[in-house]
């Protein structure tokens, strides 16, 4: 199985996994052979890519980070929560239950590295995004060996990080044209509005709501709302900022194309110490694969290869297989390959 961005799909490809709507309805089922109508449908609903099954990737097993059942339940719950934020007791129970379930599945999954996080559509973006940021935050919390109760608070904070967007007009959130200064200020207010709302209405730990307040602060002090700097920003704020940015980068939106994971990771490295906490970036690079399993790459010696294994010690040098002669190269550990570099990601 391998992930292929929607713009590289063509007729005759076989779908490797179900595609779901935010209500858990199967939009396209596993094993369907794609035709132009299906591909156009995927473009229309904003799916940035799908898993396909083909001869070059038939032996590559890409595990879900969390199960389809939990993801569908989590996305549906976040949708309800965003649409009826007033039901206090129910909301708290939901967030706590989801946080525990996400952590449990990630701990049991035992995958060392995360491949592609999720496939989302435009209509469920905000809910799927909250779930993805929670999943990534959990992965980082576990990798940092934070204690379990702390990770639960972190994941709850990640699930709720954009709750303040319920107070911003939807037309403004979806606006594709350049924003005015006033509009930008209004959108930026979602961090503080979400924090105030949660703090006033919910009896939850301070670290959880401070994470919501600070998820747009930058390590160099140029973020918002308070321009806090470095470790003056809470640990939750710094973790959620990084996970939020990564998931935004790899997502297709009305006004921007999705980055492939290696480009998103490059962006994170370029902003190491500016937007992001260098200590967290280090952990992130060990846990999130720039070349997810099944990625097709061009090497500097001209060979076309497919990623068959990732390695947390050097995530930019995976184990690969030549597509023509099936020779296997370990770009990290094979000393004869030190001069060979990855020069491109080829998706078709
Ligand atoms: Fe946000």
């Amino acid at each position: 199985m391998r992930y292929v961005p929607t713009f590289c799909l063509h007729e005759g490809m076989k779908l490797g996994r179900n595609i779901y709507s935010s209500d858990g309805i199967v939009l396209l089922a596993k094993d369907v052979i794609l035709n132009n109508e299906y591909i156009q449908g995927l473009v229309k609903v904003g799916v940035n890519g799908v898993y396909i099954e083909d001869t070059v990737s038939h032996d590559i097993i890409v595990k879900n980070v969390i199960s389809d059942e939990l993801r569908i339940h989590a996305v549906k719950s976040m949708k309800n929560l965003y649409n009826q934020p007033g039901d206090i007791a129910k909301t708290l129970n939901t967030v706590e239950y989801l946080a525990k379930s996400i952590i449990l599945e990630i701990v049991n999954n035992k995958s060392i590295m995360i491949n592609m996080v999720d496939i989302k559509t435009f209509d469920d973006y905000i809910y799927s995004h909250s779930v993805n940021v929670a999943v990534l935050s959990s992965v980082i919390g576990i990798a940092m060996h934070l204690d379990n109760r702390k990770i639960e608070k972190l994941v709850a904070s990640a699930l709720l990080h954009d709750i303040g967007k319920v107070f911003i007009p939807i037309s403004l959130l979806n606006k594709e044209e350049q924003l005015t200064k006033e509009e930008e200020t209004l959108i930026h207010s979602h961090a503080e509005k979400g924090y105030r709302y949660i703090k006033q209405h919910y009896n939850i730990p301070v670290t959880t709501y401070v994470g919501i307040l600070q998820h747009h602060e930058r390590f160099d002090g140029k973020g918002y709302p308070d321009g806090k700097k470095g470790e003056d920003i809470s640990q939750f704020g710094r973790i959620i900022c990084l996970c939020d940015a990564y998931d935004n980068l790899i997502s297709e939106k009305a006004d921007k194309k999705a980055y492939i994971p290696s480009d998103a990771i490059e962006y994170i490295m370029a902003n190491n110490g500016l937007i992001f906490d260098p200590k967290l970036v280090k952990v992130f690079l060990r846990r999130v694969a720039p070349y997810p399993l099944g990625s097709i790459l061009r090497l500097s010696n001209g060979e076309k290869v497919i990623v068959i294994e990732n390695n947390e010690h050097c995530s930019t040098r995976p184990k690969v297989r030549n597509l023509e002669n099936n020779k296997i190269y370990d770009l990290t550990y094979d000393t004869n390959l030190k001069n060979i570099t990855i020069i491109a990601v080829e998706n078709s």
Side-chain angles (χ1 to χ4, degrees):
M1 193 191 294
R2 64 190 178 99
Y3 178 84
V4 179
T6 307
F7 66 88
C8 296
L9 292 174
H10 53 77
E11 283 198 296
M13 284 180 160
K14 186 176 162 191
L15 210 54
R17 274 189 192 163
N18 290 343
I19 310 273
Y20 297 96
S21 72
S22 56
D23 297 315
I25 295 163
V26 177
L27 296 174
L28 275 181
K30 179 181 181 312
D31 295 334
V32 153
I33 306 295
L34 294 176
N35 60 25
N36 265 337
E37 200 185 323
Y38 291 151
I39 296 170
Q40 287 319 310
L42 292 170
V43 172
K44 211 168 161 192
V45 293
V47 168
N48 47 334
V50 299
Y51 284 94
I52 63 147
E53 203 68 80
D54 61 5
T55 47
V56 296
S57 66
H58 67 95
D59 56 343
I60 297 170
I61 297 162
V62 185
K63 273 206 266 177
N64 274 330
V65 193
I66 57 168
S67 63
D68 279 348
E69 292 73 28
L70 177 57
R71 182 176 293 284
I72 290 165
H73 177 61
V75 172
K76 265 189 187 176
S77 304
M78 293 314 292
K79 192 172 184 176
N80 288 338
L81 197 148
Y82 269 77
N83 291 318
Q84 300 156 347
D87 194 346
I88 294 173
K90 207 170 138 197
T91 303
L92 262 190
N93 286 341
T94 305
V95 169
E96 223 172 275
Y97 169 79
L98 290 177
K100 284 184 179 160
S101 308
I102 288 170
I103 296 162
L104 189 67
E105 284 205 5
I106 292 172
V107 169
N108 288 339
N109 180 319
K110 295 193 170 65
S111 286
I112 295 169
M113 295 198 75
I114 298 292
N115 287 284
M116 217 46 208
V117 188
D118 184 30
I119 286 163
K120 6 181 177 11
T121 56
F122 286 144
D123 79 313
D124 66 2
Y125 181 80
I126 197 163
Y127 322 117
S128 295
H129 172 68
S130 304
V131 175
N132 283 355
V133 176
V135 167
L136 286 165
S137 298
S138 173
V139 168
I140 300 305
I142 293 166
M144 292 170 74
H145 306 293
L146 302 182
D147 77 62
N148 206 47
R149 185 69 195 111
K150 193 168 182 184
I151 303 174
E152 281 174 20
K153 291 178 195 165
L154 167 67
V155 176
S157 189
L159 282 167
L160 293 169
H161 76 280
D162 267 345
I163 191 78
K165 286 192 175 166
V166 300
F167 304 108
I168 311 293
I170 194 90
S171 54
L172 186 56
L173 293 174
N174 293 334
K175 189 174 171 185
E176 288 176 38
E177 301 85 49
Q178 177 90 35
L179 298 175
T180 65
K181 196 85 204 122
E182 292 74 35
E183 288 171 332
E184 197 178 87
T185 308
L186 188 55
I187 289 190
H188 285 185
S189 71
H190 77 274
E192 198 160 355
K193 285 191 163 107
Y195 153 77
R196 287 198 188 289
Y197 173 76
I198 296 290
K199 192 179 168 199
Q200 270 167 19
H201 293 87
Y202 297 81
N203 180 23
I204 57 172
V206 178
T207 44
T208 299
Y209 56 71
V210 170
I212 299 170
L213 176 69
Q214 297 183 341
H215 76 275
H216 285 291
E217 296 290 3
R218 292 171 48 124
F219 203 72
D220 60 5
K222 293 181 180 163
Y224 63 87
D226 297 318
K228 281 194 180 288
K229 204 172 176 177
E231 297 196 356
D232 285 346
I233 307 164
S234 69
Q235 188 181 44
F236 285 12
R238 282 176 278 136
I239 295 175
I240 297 170
C241 169
L242 178 55
C243 299
D244 179 36
Y246 180 74
D247 192 61
N248 269 325
L249 288 166
I250 62 164
S251 301
E252 186 93 2
K253 291 196 186 165
D255 58 346
K256 83 157 199 34
K257 283 257 159 266
Y259 278 47
I260 55 173
S262 53
D263 287 350
I265 297 239
E266 195 172 330
Y267 175 91
I268 285 172
M269 288 164 83
N271 285 286
N272 190 10
L274 298 173
I275 304 177
F276 310 116
D277 175 352
K279 281 189 204 147
L280 295 179
V281 170
K282 218 169 157 184
V283 177
F284 196 86
L285 297 182
R286 284 202 334 259
R287 285 292 178 269
V288 180
Y291 304 111
L293 291 178
S295 301
I296 293 181
L297 310 175
R298 178 71 65 180
L299 301 181
S300 54
N301 61 2
E303 292 184 47
K304 201 172 175 181
V305 297
I306 185 163
V307 176
I308 57 170
E309 199 177 302
N310 269 300
N311 156 18
E312 66 166 318
H313 302 295
C314 187
S315 60
T316 52
R317 307 273 299 165
K319 191 188 267 190
V320 297
R321 184 181 65 220
N322 182 302
L323 289 183
E324 275 169 22
N325 59 23
N326 288 328
K327 265 176 108 173
I328 291 174
Y329 303 127
D330 191 326
L331 296 179
T332 299
Y333 294 111
D334 191 332
T335 45
N336 297 321
L337 304 173
K338 294 297 171 195
N339 291 333
I340 294 177
T341 56
I342 295 165
I343 57 166
V345 178
E346 301 199 350
N347 289 301
S348 45

